[in-house]
Amino acid sequence: MFPLPQKECRETATCLRLASPQDMGHYCRGDVEGECSRRAELKLPELCGVGDPTAMFSSASSCLSSRGRVIKWFWDSVEEAYWTYHRDEYDEDKNPHGVVNLGTSENKLCFDLLSRRLTQSDMLRVEPPLLQYPDWRGHLFLREEVAKFLSDYCKSPAPLKAENVVVLNGCASVFSALATVLCEVGEAFLMPTPYYAAITQHIYLYGNVRLAYVYLDSEVTGQDTRPFQLTVEKLETALQGARSEGVKVKGLILISPQNPLGDIYSPGELQEFLGFAKRHSLHVIVDEIYMLSVFQESLEFRSVLSLERLPDPQRTHVLWGMSKDFGMSGLRFGTLYTENQDVATAVASLCRYHGLSGLVQYQVAQLLRDRDWINCVYLPENLARLKAAHTYVSEELRALGVPFLSRGAGFFIWVDLRKYLRKATFEEERLLWRRFLDNKVLLLFGKAFECKEPGWFRVVFSDRPQRLRLGEQPPVLDAEVTEDAPPWQPREPRDQGRWAAQCLVSSHCLPPGPSGSGAARRAGFAPRTSFLPVWVAAGDSLS
């Protein structure tokens, strides 16, 4: 997601701003420059209250409906950087000078394990019920397996029930369906920022539901104990701000482990947030899609479903899927767990458009019931590989003197590049992002996550070692920022020696000699002497 900031954000830590199409701005490159310029002429409304986002479009501009034009605008706006990537995708053999994608949160470390398991004979079964219309909530055999799986891995105090499970083709569909059945047009969810910004599309395109942002700060002040900390006080302030704008807030969205911060909410924090929601009769959507991707041993993930008593179980809805924890983003499996049968039935009705094929449902059920493979083969190896990649990159960032946040969960590190901006504006942030892309590295920058502070970038580390190495290239960032050689000055990239994150920092920032832990080396993440390692790993605070 690459929203182009229209103006610098100067809100306080919990001020209200409603997500809308202009928040999903666009970036251009090469032959799409002209189209981008034409789109930039559109008058995008501010939407600091309840407005009509379709008013920006002329009825004569297209054969599409007003909804269709908004939907197409979203697609064109946010996909352009990925067009650049897909047209010139890096491949070790076929296209070694292509664009390396360190922006999409996918786990690419365990394809060998998954390939072997998914091609075994027990994974393929064809019988009439699998080729016919299913129960739209999902085949009962799959919902029963999901309920057992979540009971075990979420550590629920009592067995979860298959009747509370609805299966859809990905968590994006779950978000979209929930927003549509829970909210009226123009209503909003509270959303702490920075956050996974694709949720804006998920809840808006069908339901015309918006987000009321709860802006969080990197600076630790007051009673905070960590950067970007969410508290009930900040939620209360944001809720009152939304109401003062005449906006009805219908719910709260929580992501744990959080994307892009990696925060894991403690049981106490979860109870406080759920208690706040109950006091204000708000639904709570809890996205736990990274729950099995906590690789730092000292951390403990606690699911909402593990709590002894939910303050308001009829308004608490939990999401999980296989895209992240099982590295299967292309399988398109997501599930909703809710005790509210009206919500489950309404979402199930939308599964006519968002259901899974019977064959995929069978494969998912087979995989989830194979606990020996999950517990003894996949999870230990996956967590070890994530930790090795994370350690490799974080040690290099420390050596380079680049501050970052990472809590030991998820696939990403939240990197602080603010000192490389000449001015603290989102336009400067965008120019720095563009320079990475010009040097064949695709990242996501802070405005894409609605971060209120320009200069933060998300770096995904869950990829093979060769994609995480720097090449012998002109640096994107210099060791020192000077007026004579600003770090955003465009430079022509060389054609040779280009590797993955080629261009984070200049070579003189690295200490002499090899680096990287023993575990990282054994996992294949040790740097070669002729390459400058680039990204990431663990740190529990801004380091």
Side-chain angles (χ1 to χ4, degrees):
M1 313 292 294
F2 293 89
L4 173 62
Q6 302 298 315
K7 61 179 181 180
E8 184 176 357
C9 177
R10 302 183 182 276
E11 289 89 342
T12 59
T14 52
C15 81
L16 164 76
R17 192 161 166 272
L18 293 182
S20 60
Q22 75 269 26
D23 294 316
M24 312 303 297
H26 46 271
Y27 286 111
C28 338
R29 179 173 164 80
D31 57 2
V32 295
E33 294 278 2
E35 179 61 21
C36 288
S37 320
R38 289 189 291 274
R39 259 200 304 279
E41 297 172 0
L42 292 172
K43 302 294 185 181
L44 303 183
E46 281 303 313
L47 284 184
C48 287
V50 180
D52 178 11
T54 64
M56 72 186 90
F57 298 99
S58 165
S59 60
S61 64
S62 171
C63 62
L64 297 173
S65 68
S66 59
R67 287 192 307 274
R69 292 196 293 277
V70 170
I71 291 169
K72 181 180 182 297
W73 186 88
F74 266 96
W75 174 268
D76 291 342
S77 300
V78 303
E79 294 297 327
E80 284 165 353
Y82 285 99
W83 291 345
T84 301
Y85 165 64
H86 288 301
R87 286 196 303 265
D88 189 20
E89 183 175 349
Y90 170 84
D91 182 273
E92 290 85 346
D93 301 317
K94 298 178 182 177
N95 189 24
H97 305 319
V99 177
V100 175
N101 184 357
L102 300 181
T104 302
S105 184
E106 289 184 299
N107 185 351
K108 301 174 182 176
L109 296 173
C110 291
F111 178 78
D112 56 332
L113 305 179
L114 296 168
S115 177
R116 285 196 294 269
R117 183 63 189 92
L118 292 173
T119 53
Q120 292 178 7
S121 59
D122 68 315
M123 297 303 293
L124 180 60
R125 182 177 179 181
V126 180
E127 56 184 28
L130 300 180
L131 301 178
Q132 297 165 358
Y133 291 125
D135 178 342
W136 290 116
R137 294 186 184 214
H139 281 292
L140 180 59
F141 66 79
L142 175 57
R143 291 188 287 115
E144 289 176 341
E145 210 56 57
V146 169
K148 293 175 185 176
F149 181 88
L150 294 179
S151 296
D152 291 345
Y153 291 92
C154 294
K155 299 180 181 178
S156 63
L160 302 178
K161 300 176 181 178
E163 67 193 56
N164 298 334
V165 173
V166 185
V167 174
L168 296 87
N169 59 344
C171 286
S173 296
V174 182
F175 267 115
S176 180
L178 277 175
T180 301
V181 305
L182 295 180
C183 300
E184 303 294 343
V185 169
E187 292 180 342
F189 286 106
L190 288 176
M191 184 79 245
T193 77
Y195 77 105
Y196 170 56
I199 293 173
T200 302
Q201 288 188 79
H202 301 343
I203 70 168
Y204 181 81
L205 292 186
Y206 279 172
N208 200 356
V209 177
R210 301 176 192 168
L211 295 175
Y213 294 139
V214 186
Y215 285 101
L216 306 179
D217 293 290
S218 64
E219 183 179 357
V220 178
T221 59
Q223 313 236 329
D224 293 350
T225 59
R226 62 183 184 269
F228 298 106
Q229 184 170 351
L230 177 65
T231 64
V232 169
E233 291 72 24
K234 295 172 185 178
L235 290 171
E236 291 279 5
T237 302
L239 177 63
Q240 297 310 315
R243 289 175 172 173
S244 70
E245 295 283 344
V247 177
K248 184 173 182 179
V249 174
K250 202 64 174 286
L252 165 66
I253 296 175
L254 297 173
I255 306 172
S256 182
Q258 210 269 357
N259 178 3
L261 301 175
D263 273 353
I264 298 174
Y265 298 126
S266 69
E269 288 175 314
L270 290 172
Q271 287 285 10
E272 289 180 358
F273 302 152
L274 294 173
F276 156 81
K278 182 178 181 180
R279 289 194 300 274
H280 296 286
S281 299
L282 301 179
H283 290 271
V284 183
I285 299 175
V286 187
D287 180 355
E288 297 185 344
I289 198 167
Y290 291 98
M291 73 174 184
L292 299 180
S293 298
V294 180
F295 51 84
Q296 189 165 308
E297 294 86 347
S298 61
L299 297 177
E300 181 186 8
F301 169 78
R302 288 290 302 273
S303 169
V304 164
L305 297 174
S306 73
L307 301 179
E308 287 293 334
R309 297 189 57 157
L310 292 175
D312 191 352
Q314 290 296 302
R315 288 191 176 92
T316 305
H317 319 290
V318 182
L319 282 66
W320 181 76
M322 302 184 77
S323 295
K324 311 301 183 182
D325 288 340
F326 282 90
M328 297 181 179
S329 52
L331 192 74
R332 310 310 304 136
F333 167 82
T335 189
L336 165 69
Y337 190 87
T338 178
E339 294 187 18
N340 188 316
Q341 288 304 302
D342 289 340
V343 172
T345 300
V347 170
S349 296
L350 294 175
C351 288
R352 291 175 179 270
Y353 318 113
H354 300 291
L356 283 77
S357 79
L359 300 179
V360 171
Q361 293 192 46
Y362 175 80
Q363 288 181 311
V364 170
Q366 283 293 95
L367 200 65
L368 295 181
R369 70 169 56 100
D370 189 353
R371 300 304 176 79
D372 287 342
W373 180 80
I374 292 173
N375 294 330
C376 301
V377 178
Y378 180 75
L379 283 182
E381 186 64 21
N382 181 49
L383 294 178
R385 294 182 188 185
L386 284 172
K387 184 177 180 180
H390 187 247
T391 300
Y392 168 73
V393 181
S394 61
E395 288 182 352
E396 297 308 327
L397 281 176
R398 289 193 183 100
L400 297 168
V402 176
F404 64 94
L405 280 171
S406 189
R407 318 271 196 220
F411 308 154
F412 27 76
I413 289 182
W414 193 232
V415 179
D416 181 4
L417 301 182
R418 287 178 293 176
K419 66 182 178 181
Y420 297 102
L421 303 183
R422 183 166 55 183
K423 294 184 289 186
T425 67
F426 289 113
E427 180 60 22
E428 294 296 329
E429 178 186 82
R430 183 188 71 84
L431 292 173
L432 181 56
W433 165 83
R434 177 59 181 270
R435 190 171 175 210
F436 277 108
L437 189 59
D438 286 343
N439 281 272
K440 302 298 186 78
V441 180
L442 176 59
L443 302 178
L444 288 185
F445 53 76
K447 185 60 178 175
F449 302 89
E450 200 56 37
C451 183
K452 64 172 292 190
E453 303 167 4
W456 291 86
F457 284 71
R458 189 188 75 173
V459 178
V460 174
F461 61 83
S462 50
D463 207 336
R464 289 169 288 177
Q466 61 266 37
R467 295 173 184 261
L468 300 178
R469 294 193 178 105
L470 281 172
E472 298 169 342
Q473 292 292 317
V476 166
L477 305 180
D478 293 319
E480 296 180 359
V481 179
T482 67
E483 289 296 325
D484 294 334
W488 53 89
Q489 182 71 32
R491 303 184 187 181
E492 288 299 322
R494 298 176 188 170
D495 293 330
Q496 300 180 6
R498 190 184 312 281
W499 281 77
Q502 68 247 57
C503 56
L504 178 59
V505 250
S506 55
S507 58
H508 63 268
C509 294
L510 280 172
S515 60
S517 69
R521 289 173 179 279
R522 288 192 298 274
F525 288 96
R528 304 188 225 175
T529 55
S530 60
F531 291 93
L532 303 179
V534 51
W535 301 111
V536 322
D540 193 49
S541 61
L542 194 58
S543 57

